[in-house]
Amino acid sequence: LPVPISRQLVSLYTMVQNPNIAYLGMSDPVVLPPLWVRCDGSDPRHTCWLGAEPLRAGNKVTGVNIYMVSCDGPTADKTSFANLEELKMEHKIRHHSSVVTTKGFAQYELIAAAAIEDTIAESGSNIYVDITWNGVDKILETPPLISAATLNIALESGDPRSPVFQLYRELQFLLALAEGLKTGVTEWPEPPESESALKLVQEFLTDLKKKLDGDCVFGNKNETEKIKCDTAAVDSCIKSIFGERGDLDFTEQLWCKMKSKCVSSYQELIDCFTLVIKCLELGEIQPWIHQGSSSFLSRLIQQSYHGKMENVSLSDVTPIQMLLEIGLEKMKKDYVSFFIGESRSSLLFQDYFISTSVDLQEQVHRVQKLHHMLEIMVSCTGLLQFRHENLFPLTQICMKYYKENPLDEKHVFQLPIRPALVKKFFQNDNPEIWKVEISSGHGQKEVKTTWQVSTNAPVEHGANNSGLFSDSTVNGGGEERLYFITATQCSQVQFT
């Protein structure tokens, strides 16, 4: 609305809230919700909002705070920025105050949805830090290291640049199996150009048969290393974080042979399990499995030790469920290996994330949560160089949230940190938001003046200009951010 009409609305709102005006005919005055009017910015101040909020003492309205928010920019000209001393003096004159306090706020992006060559990644992922401190000395000052800082993390899984992207793809195959179990329709990957799953399983079983007459250890060291590498599928920068497990049992190795890169049809899945069950029935293999394995295939293996196995009908969804079960067990151990080994969070699990007492669909959902937490830990470890003392509380926060809430990759996890941990990101960088708050008075009589610069427009009609760079350079090189300037002034109307 135009500013004159907006002012009329705020004036009417204030009048209606005033208990001293009796002629309104209101025997029992009602406390109205706050009123905010979006303005068109056509006035000289470029006013974008006018607001009015009632001040209360119990059920009684004692006054109204009236706000005016103006916005200018974008501009890269820092000479047009306000002077802090002038802002403080203006506040003192407006509110007849002799003493004011200042509080600073700055937000820095640490890792945003970054540009990939000439394209922008469509992602909701971001890591940024909010820093607050008392006693601001000048506009756009760098936050002191004694400030209070909060790390904000919102990460979407599946970034191809992530060191655990191959693990994410493995999880996607698991999800496809779970969906197929639920709907009866499974989306199989394209047939591989390399060896088929059936051929890999045949070679795997042949190797086991050869070892049976020896020490009964399946696979030689080189084969084990090959499988472990295929299982983790992580690059060198994350191997120190996400350790490759050296204790893969028979069912886990079988999963590695049959997962998304290999199994490309329902019939091939049946053929693979038919081979395995036949070898078990004939006693040609005596594979080792982890104690406590609860999958159907593990039960068949345990029965084979005694030379008596139940009949298995590889029809309908049974083969898919068998593959889903062994994949679930394997991936749970992968994630637990990281969380217990790296962030030492064994006491936090309490069996929730690895429980087998819930149905398979819920188990898959909880594994998704584990992967999302892993993506967060990997980002903080690889990019922010977080150590155990930082990872442990972050893991606690994530696990507590996911024990009480469904998977939500847009959720922002917050971790209080020491600014020194991320000082290299903000001491030589421009903030996304920088704000100073000048205040005086106490309690309900407290009033504030806020001055802020931000790279994003504070109102919708300016959003197309967000995050722009100017053609000017800083010290002969680099790009300078364009900032929107937002000022909020407060005045108070007292009824008593």
Side-chain angles (χ1 to χ4, degrees):
L1 296 175
V3 171
I5 295 177
S6 303
R7 290 186 183 280
Q8 288 179 4
L9 282 172
V10 171
S11 296
L12 288 169
Y13 174 92
T14 304
M15 184 172 63
V16 169
Q17 291 289 273
N18 192 341
N20 299 317
I21 301 179
Y23 63 84
L24 292 175
M26 298 173 64
S27 58
D28 188 16
V30 177
V31 180
L32 296 176
L35 171 70
W36 284 90
V37 186
R38 180 179 168 179
C39 307
D40 62 8
S42 60
D43 63 311
R45 286 178 174 267
H46 303 295
T47 303
C48 54
W49 291 97
L50 283 178
E53 297 185 349
L55 300 170
R56 306 186 189 193
N59 294 326
K60 185 179 178 182
V61 179
T62 60
V64 172
N65 270 346
I66 297 175
Y67 302 93
M68 184 177 72
V69 184
S70 60
C71 179
D72 227 336
T75 179
D77 181 14
K78 290 186 170 63
T79 61
S80 65
F81 288 1
N83 177 282
L84 180 59
E85 292 305 316
E86 290 176 358
L87 285 174
K88 289 162 68 175
M89 185 57 66
E90 185 182 341
H91 180 95
K92 289 179 180 180
I93 294 172
R94 186 187 314 114
H95 298 293
H96 310 289
S97 174
S98 59
V99 179
V100 297
T101 59
T102 55
K103 186 175 183 178
F105 171 87
Q107 182 179 100
Y108 295 85
E109 284 190 352
L110 306 187
I111 298 103
I116 305 177
E117 296 179 349
D118 295 328
T119 63
I120 299 296
E122 293 293 334
S123 171
S125 299
N126 195 6
I127 300 179
Y128 55 96
V129 63
D130 290 341
I131 306 176
T132 58
W133 68 100
N134 294 318
V136 179
D137 293 325
K138 63 179 181 179
I139 295 295
L140 281 183
E141 73 176 9
T142 300
L145 293 181
I146 59 171
S147 306
T150 301
L151 194 67
N152 302 273
I153 306 168
L155 282 181
E156 292 183 1
S157 302
D159 188 337
R161 298 164 295 173
S162 170
V164 291
F165 179 64
Q166 293 303 322
L167 196 64
Y168 170 80
R169 292 184 60 183
E170 189 172 345
L171 176 64
Q172 294 310 296
F173 183 53
L174 197 75
L175 295 175
L177 293 174
E179 187 65 19
L181 190 63
K182 185 166 59 176
T183 64
V185 179
T186 303
E187 292 189 14
W188 299 100
E190 291 293 324
E193 297 178 1
S194 57
E195 295 175 301
S196 68
L198 185 60
K199 184 177 180 181
L200 287 176
V201 171
Q202 283 176 324
E203 293 174 351
F204 179 45
L205 295 174
T206 299
D207 186 58
L208 284 177
K209 292 175 187 177
K210 292 178 181 178
K211 299 297 180 182
L212 185 59
D213 294 333
D215 55 7
C216 296
V217 175
F218 54 90
N220 56 32
K221 186 178 187 297
N222 290 335
E223 174 68 10
T224 303
E225 290 298 323
K226 177 178 179 296
I227 291 170
K228 286 192 294 182
C229 185
D230 179 57
T231 300
V234 292
D235 57 27
S236 58
C237 72
I238 207 66
K239 285 182 179 178
S240 61
I241 301 170
F242 190 76
E244 298 168 345
R245 288 196 296 120
D247 62 343
L248 298 179
D249 71 1
F250 172 79
T251 63
E252 291 173 321
Q253 293 198 51
L254 188 63
W255 162 262
C256 293
K257 302 291 185 183
M258 298 169 65
K259 64 183 180 181
S260 56
K261 290 183 180 178
C262 303
V263 176
S264 57
S265 70
Y266 177 69
Q267 185 57 51
E268 188 175 32
L269 178 61
I270 293 175
D271 293 342
C272 288
F273 277 128
T274 299
L275 270 177
V276 173
I277 291 172
K278 182 179 179 181
C279 287
L280 289 172
E281 287 176 336
L282 296 176
E284 295 176 343
I285 57 174
Q286 292 181 359
W288 168 77
I289 57 173
H290 286 298
Q291 185 177 3
S293 295
S294 59
S295 66
F296 179 52
L297 182 58
S298 295
R299 190 165 77 242
L300 291 178
I301 292 171
Q302 289 172 333
Q303 292 172 358
S304 73
Y305 295 159
H306 307 287
K308 187 177 182 181
M309 293 171 54
E310 61 186 275
N311 292 325
V312 182
S313 175
L314 294 175
S315 60
D316 198 29
V317 296
T318 299
I320 295 175
Q321 180 165 334
M322 289 174 66
L323 186 59
L324 175 62
E325 287 176 351
I326 64 175
L328 258 176
E329 286 196 340
K330 184 262 179 187
M331 294 199 75
K332 283 179 185 178
K333 287 185 173 65
D334 286 344
Y335 292 121
V336 170
S337 175
F338 167 80
F339 284 108
I340 292 180
E342 183 65 24
S343 58
R344 299 162 178 84
S345 306
S346 56
L347 296 178
L348 296 173
F349 268 84
Q350 300 175 4
D351 291 335
Y352 171 82
F353 293 100
I354 55 176
S355 173
T356 56
S357 62
V358 294
D359 63 40
L360 285 176
Q361 298 296 335
E362 177 60 24
Q363 289 183 49
V364 171
H365 186 65
R366 294 182 185 185
V367 165
Q368 280 184 278
K369 294 179 179 181
L370 285 174
H371 183 84
H372 188 219
M373 290 190 293
L374 174 65
E375 295 260 14
I376 292 172
M377 300 306 148
V378 163
S379 294
C380 290
T381 305
L383 300 170
L384 303 182
Q385 286 81 52
F386 271 16
R387 297 183 179 181
H388 165 65
E389 59 267 25
N390 309 117
L391 284 181
F392 183 75
L394 180 58
T395 305
Q396 285 183 310
I397 290 169
C398 293
M399 287 189 174
K400 183 179 186 302
Y401 177 82
Y402 272 144
K403 286 174 72 173
E404 301 169 355
N405 299 280
L407 179 71
D408 180 8
E409 295 194 348
K410 296 186 182 300
H411 179 74
V412 179
F413 292 96
Q414 295 185 311
L415 175 70
I417 61 170
R418 291 179 293 106
L421 279 174
V422 291
K423 66 179 181 180
K424 68 177 181 180
F425 290 95
F426 71 82
Q427 286 191 327
N428 299 308
D429 197 10
N430 292 316
E432 301 300 307
I433 300 174
W434 191 97
K435 178 170 63 176
V436 61
E437 191 177 86
I438 303 166
S439 60
S440 60
H442 301 282
Q444 285 202 337
K445 292 192 175 182
E446 183 184 37
V447 284
K448 298 178 181 178
T449 298
T450 303
W451 186 90
Q452 170 185 294
V453 289
S454 60
T455 54
N456 290 317
V459 290
E460 291 86 344
H461 58 263
N464 291 334
N465 297 320
S466 63
L468 296 178
F469 293 90
S470 71
D471 293 331
S472 62
T473 60
V474 181
N475 297 326
E479 293 172 316
E480 189 171 359
R481 298 302 292 267
L482 287 171
Y483 281 115
F484 294 88
I485 305 169
T486 308
T488 304
Q489 295 179 344
C490 173
S491 59
Q492 213 169 67
V493 178
Q494 293 288 341
F495 297 148
T496 55

